[in-house]
């Protein structure tokens, strides 16, 4: 797995260390190398990536692609994992990412302490709003967002159990 961002490598390294991410990052300031060619550039949000998941087979074929509308719209794990498992590949161990830069946290970075209140608010607000919707499509969209927030909260509970806060 490789993540891409318009942030410079030192900001990406700080994010990796904050969230204990085992992934490598590609830095694409300006979106020239990846975001724009993949149709994932979002100039309306300050020049950032739209969330995009692409799974590529060793021969270069795309076996999965989902371009989200915005940061609240993400694919479920199951279709992505099914596409990857269909390739029948063995997992590859990748050494930890150790770029030649010092971590430099960004003020925009989502911090673990903000995670629970943010997604709890989404969960409860979407639930309340879905009760007001008369259009079934709007209600379904809100309930999908609510389910995503619940999924993120459950995953964060697992993450917290694996990465307890440093209480020094």
């Amino acid at each position: 797995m490789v993540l891409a961002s318009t942030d410079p490598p030192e900001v990406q390294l700080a994010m990796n260390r904050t969230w204990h991410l085992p992934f490598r990052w590609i830095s694409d300031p300006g979106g020239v190398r990846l975001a724009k060619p993949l149709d994932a550039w979002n100039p309306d949000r300050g020049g950032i990536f739209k969330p995009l998941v692409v799974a590529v087979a060793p021969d270069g074929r795309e076996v999965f692609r989902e371009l989200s509308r915005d940061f609240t719209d993400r694919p479920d794990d199951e279709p992505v994992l099914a596409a990857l498992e269909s390739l029948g590949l063995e997992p590859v161990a990748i050494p930890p990412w150790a770029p030649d830069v010092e971590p430099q946290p960004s003020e925009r970075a989502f911090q673990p302490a903000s995670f629970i209140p943010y997604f709890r608010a989404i969960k409860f607000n979407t639930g309340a709003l879905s009760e007001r919707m008369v259009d079934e499509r709007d209600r379904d969209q809100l309930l999908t967002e609510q389910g995503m927030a619940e999924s993120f909260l459950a995953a964060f509970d697992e993450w917290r159990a694996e990465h307890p806060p440093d209480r020094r």
Side-chain angles (χ1 to χ4, degrees):
M1 177 179 282
V2 176
L3 304 176
S5 167
T6 57
D7 291 328
E10 47 278 351
V11 171
Q12 295 168 347
L13 181 58
M15 182 69 84
N16 267 49
R17 291 192 177 163
T18 298
W19 288 96
H20 307 276
L21 300 174
F23 312 117
R24 295 178 185 255
W25 287 82
I26 295 172
S27 182
D28 187 22
V32 176
R33 298 177 81 199
L34 282 175
K36 289 177 182 176
L38 291 171
D39 194 31
W41 181 248
N42 193 345
D44 300 334
R45 301 255 323 144
I48 62 172
F49 271 86
K50 292 178 190 173
L52 171 68
V53 176
V54 178
V56 180
D59 63 8
R61 288 177 298 118
E62 278 189 18
V63 294
F64 181 89
R65 178 192 251 290
E66 185 165 319
L67 178 64
S68 299
R69 294 170 297 213
D70 57 45
F71 67 95
T72 69
D73 179 29
R74 305 291 172 106
D76 289 330
D77 295 343
E78 289 79 21
V80 180
L81 294 173
L84 293 172
E85 288 169 357
S86 74
L87 297 173
L89 301 172
E90 291 296 317
V92 176
I94 297 174
W97 186 50
D100 226 5
V101 296
E102 288 298 313
Q104 196 173 71
S106 167
E107 292 179 13
R108 323 182 290 170
F110 201 76
Q111 297 298 313
S114 304
F115 195 92
I116 290 175
Y118 179 82
F119 282 100
R120 276 189 184 150
I122 291 172
K123 176 185 168 187
F124 291 111
N125 290 340
T126 53
L129 287 171
S130 71
E131 297 298 318
R132 297 186 206 167
M133 296 293 117
V134 288
D135 185 306
E136 201 62 36
R137 290 175 303 168
D138 291 340
R139 181 179 297 114
D140 288 346
Q141 182 63 43
L142 283 166
L143 292 174
T144 298
E145 294 286 327
Q146 184 182 39
M148 185 177 62
E150 290 169 351
S151 173
F152 283 4
L153 286 166
F156 188 65
D157 283 343
E158 291 178 25
W159 181 89
R160 262 192 325 190
E162 294 172 10
H163 304 93
D166 187 4
R167 303 258 189 232
R168 287 185 229 173

